[in-house]
Amino acid sequence: MTESMTAPRIAAILIGRNEGARLLACLASVKDLDRVVYVDSGSTDGSAEAARAAGAEVVALDMSKPFTAARARNAGIEALRQGKTPDLVQFIDGDCELQPGWITTARAFLADNPQAAVACGRRRERFPEASIYNRLCDFEWDTPLGKTRSCGGDALMRMEALEAVGGYDPTLIAGEEPEMCVRLRAKGWEIWRLDAEMTLHDAAMMRFGQFWKRAKRGGHAWAEGAAMHGAPPERHSVPQVRRVLLWGLVLPLVILALALLVSPWALALVLIYPLQIARLALRSGGGGEAWERAWLLTVGKFAETQGVLQYHRSRLSGRRSGLIEYK
């Protein structure tokens, strides 16, 4: 694992489809990097043309094949191989905006820590006041600092490390970053979460149906991740899948069985769910946002269970699941 003696060349890979003004803000935030590659997934709003006008290299993803964000990111990596290959790559979704100072902070950290393959920071929701679902996203992105097991879609990565593991798995419809981080860590690389502002994100999640689809996608990602890397010692996503199935499938079936076989009074056991909401809310301080998060996290277990079951149903039938999009 080597590092350049000169200032590293840094590129950005943006992916998106019909992001409009959000893409323009994203492009403006990365304009000072050495190279910018925008991978477009069939936009009809002029995104590709806008990216070219902003000076980005544009890759039109082949939409005759099933789309995944992982495949789009790999297309960006392939484009960077044409010409002078950068040392570092900032991945960022087209609905995000890079924060001032992030690149300087992350670049310095990677220079001082040659074992680190990935540096990620704080992703924030741009409009948390717009909906309880946006606020939940902002809460979920506030992950622990220090060496960690995985990153999200926005991160600064070493090109050397990406090449070492062959990039992202293009078949995954979700959870592609944690899966790649498993392979990076297996080769001795490290993933770090820094105490620094990294990106603003516009989740634009205003409806319960969007929240449900996002949670379902999360369940699918955990199930597939556990199927791929769930064996010891990694146990990737296994605790998450077990927790999801306990609350979203096992407990409802047990309550129903007891009500049918023992006594209808067993239905009173459904009170375990409001008790769980209260436990989660009080553990987080008991304020208004704590209660709304607790409710969504508990209800979301049923959507996540649906995602887990969809993955296994598709696996047994020999078909891959289609993309689960919430916006």
Side-chain angles (χ1 to χ4, degrees), residues 4 7-13 33-37 57 76-91 156-163:
S4 173
R9 289 178 55 84
I10 306 178
I13 294 177
L33 300 185
D34 296 299
R35 292 177 67 184
V36 176
V37 174
E57 304 167 40
I77 294 171
E78 181 60 33
L80 289 178
R81 295 192 183 105
Q82 316 305 314
K84 189 169 179 58
T85 304
D87 302 293
L88 306 175
V89 183
Q90 175 67 50
F91 290 92
L156 186 66
M157 302 188 188
R158 294 186 194 273
M159 189 70 168
E160 177 188 355
L162 290 167
E163 299 283 18

Side-chain angles (χ1 to χ4, degrees), residues 255 258-271:
I255 293 171
L258 290 174
L260 292 174
L261 300 176
V262 180
S263 168
W265 286 102
L267 291 175
L269 291 173
V270 298
L271 292 175

Side-chain angles (χ1 to χ4, degrees), residues 59-286:
V59 176
L61 200 65
D62 182 0
M63 298 306 291
S64 67
K65 301 175 183 178
F67 168 79
T68 67
R71 190 163 73 84
R73 292 191 175 99
N74 281 348
I77 294 171
E78 181 60 33
L80 289 178
R81 295 192 183 105
Q82 316 305 314
K84 189 169 179 58
T85 304
D87 302 293
L88 306 175
V89 183
Q90 175 67 50
F91 290 92
I92 182 169
D93 292 342
D95 57 1
C96 295
E97 182 180 346
L98 205 64
Q99 292 286 66
W102 163 249
I103 291 294
T104 300
T105 299
R107 177 179 58 200
F109 178 85
L110 292 179
D112 292 339
N113 296 271
Q115 293 294 119
V118 180
C120 57
R122 179 68 160 99
R123 178 195 252 199
R124 291 190 185 274
E125 168 55 34
R126 184 183 292 274
F127 302 112
E129 73 286 351
S131 72
I132 60 174
Y133 315 115
N134 281 5
R135 285 193 290 277
L136 179 64
C137 287
D138 192 71
F139 173 79
E140 289 176 349
W141 294 329
D142 192 10
T143 56
L145 302 175
K147 188 162 69 172
T148 186
R149 296 174 64 85
S150 63
C151 66
D154 303 340
L156 186 66
M157 302 188 188
R158 294 186 194 273
M159 189 70 168
E160 177 188 355
L162 290 167
E163 299 283 18
V165 296
Y168 296 85
D169 185 332
T171 67
L172 299 181
I173 66 170
E176 64 274 8
E177 299 91 4
E179 190 281 328
M180 185 175 70
C181 287
V182 170
R183 292 182 279 121
L184 285 169
R185 289 188 287 102
K187 288 188 174 292
W189 292 100
E190 296 173 354
I191 292 87
W192 284 80
R193 160 78 153 84
L194 310 185
D195 186 14
E197 298 295 312
M198 180 178 60
T199 50
L200 283 176
H201 176 273
D202 184 4
M205 199 158 44
M206 308 302 293
R207 303 184 304 278
F208 180 79
Q210 291 176 288
F211 159 77
W212 186 273
K213 287 181 180 179
R214 184 174 181 269
K216 178 181 174 182
R217 186 181 67 178
H220 189 287
W222 286 332
E224 190 161 22
M228 297 174 71
H229 303 292
E234 183 61 40
R235 308 297 285 168
H236 178 56
S237 295
V238 170
Q240 292 91 333
V241 171
R242 286 180 172 173
R243 187 161 52 247
V244 164
L245 292 180
L246 171 65
W247 287 98
L249 183 65
V250 174
L251 283 176
L253 289 178
V254 168
I255 293 171
L256 181 60
L258 290 174
L260 292 174
L261 300 176
V262 180
S263 168
W265 286 102
L267 291 175
L269 291 173
V270 298
L271 292 175
I272 195 172
Y273 288 96
L275 288 174
Q276 171 69 351
I277 292 172
R279 185 183 75 85
L280 293 175
L282 294 174
R283 190 175 68 180
S284 295

